[in-house]
Amino acid sequence: MSGFSADWLHLREPLDAAARDPGLALHFAAALPERPRLLDIGAGTGSALRWLAPRLGRPAQRWTLADGDDALLAAAPQAVAGWAAGQPWLHLEAETLRTDLATGFEALDLPARDGVVASAVLDLVSEAWAGRFATALAAAGRPPVLAMLSVDGRVAFDPPDADDAFVLARVAVHSGRDKGFGPALGARAPHVVAAALERAGYAVTLAPSDWRLDPAADGDDGTAAALRVLVAGYAAAATQTDPDAADRIAAWAAWRRSTPAVLHVGHRDLLAVADRARVMPSPVRTC
């Protein structure tokens, strides 16, 4: 269901790894049994597994990577196996599952999962879908959920441009369009999904997991490439929202491509656990 290209997932993986909240990952790990069976929805090629598996402190782990994209699922086993070869302490079993999350949750076999993981997924779904998913999780016994990197609407360039707000307002409208689940939550996702899970009996904690793209500081061609892709994506989304402003948006994108900048993109990680004890975010992060 990811809808993303393998090239983009490769570019964003180091950004995601630097942004995810390690404190919530440790609390998620504490809620798992010794040999956890984990489900990753919208898994792509297994980026979340590669980041999270070493942080779980469990030598034996079984993962199911669920997605609706055949090409990404075909690439996932090799990508995961190549990474796992460098983790000799980890006894990892990983299988892929092709499923369309928009049609229901039966194929996910939620009662058989000890934990559920998602990354950059919840901002694509609708409020109604989030409610149904929370209900399905409750019926499955409330396995812990770690949903990472949902956008929260904060985007800022440094240096700023007079047309940043013009373009980003149209991007925000586009982010609410139907992505296959009904009207997408977009920036509302962290709090809407948190509320749905709380109604289903979970204790929920949110923590920031922001991207900071600074090609000059990173000295990394990948960061620069990711920044170019994001600018192009913002321009395309804004143009689809407001075709009459295409020339203005194109001029903005051209200026952004030619001007060194730092980009900050706000995200939230979400942890939901079955007991009612509130989990605190990592002390190194502030909301």
Side-chain angles (χ1 to χ4, degrees):
M1 67 146 282
S2 67
F4 302 122
S5 73
D7 289 342
W8 169 240
L9 294 182
H10 177 73
L11 282 175
R12 70 172 290 165
E13 186 160 349
L15 300 173
D16 292 345
R20 291 185 176 106
D21 186 272
L24 294 192
L26 291 176
H27 288 300
F28 177 73
L32 298 175
E34 188 61 28
R35 299 170 63 89
R37 301 162 299 171
L38 300 164
L39 172 69
D40 183 1
I41 60 173
T45 64
S47 172
L49 180 158
R50 290 187 286 275
W51 183 83
L52 185 57
R55 291 168 170 79
L56 296 182
R58 305 292 195 279
Q61 301 176 28
R62 181 174 180 179
W63 285 72
T64 299
L65 306 181
D67 206 296
D69 188 311
D70 289 326
L72 296 179
L73 286 180
Q78 183 175 353
V80 170
W83 171 85
Q87 314 289 325
W89 64 274
L90 180 61
H91 303 287
L92 182 73
E93 296 179 50
E95 63 180 2
T96 60
L97 173 66
R98 192 193 188 287
T99 185
D100 181 358
L101 293 175
T103 63
F105 310 115
E106 292 80 7
L108 299 179
D109 194 13
L110 291 174
R113 312 300 179 181
D114 299 310
V116 177
V117 176
S119 191
V121 169
L122 297 184
D123 41 50
L124 306 177
V125 306
S126 67
E127 185 167 0
W129 187 95
R132 293 193 299 272
F133 189 50
T135 298
L137 288 166
R142 298 185 186 87
V145 177
L146 182 62
M148 300 170 282
L149 295 160
S150 298
V151 297
D152 65 7
R154 294 175 296 119
V155 181
F157 287 92
D158 183 17
D161 178 75
D163 269 344
D164 287 346
F166 178 86
V167 172
L168 294 173
R170 284 149 181 78
V171 173
V173 172
H174 188 274
S175 72
R177 289 184 174 178
D178 191 337
K179 308 298 191 297
F181 302 88
L185 288 171
R188 300 168 55 228
H191 296 289
V192 169
V193 175
L197 290 168
E198 287 174 341
R199 287 193 297 271
Y202 280 96
V204 179
T205 302
L206 296 171
S209 53
D210 297 351
W211 282 353
R212 187 176 186 276
L213 288 78
D214 186 351
D218 295 346
D220 183 356
D221 289 343
T223 301
L227 184 54
R228 290 193 296 269
V229 171
L230 285 166
V231 167
Y234 290 152
T239 302
Q240 290 175 25
T241 301
D242 188 357
D244 292 340
D247 290 344
R248 182 176 177 181
I249 295 165
W252 171 87
W255 188 84
R256 278 280 166 225
R257 286 193 300 269
S258 64
T259 305
V262 177
L263 173 61
H264 184 99
V265 182
H267 299 90
R268 289 287 187 271
D269 286 357
L270 178 154
L271 173 68
V273 292
D275 64 52
R276 292 284 182 175
R278 179 67 56 179
V279 176
M280 296 304 294
S282 167
V284 300
R285 304 293 183 99
T286 57
C287 292

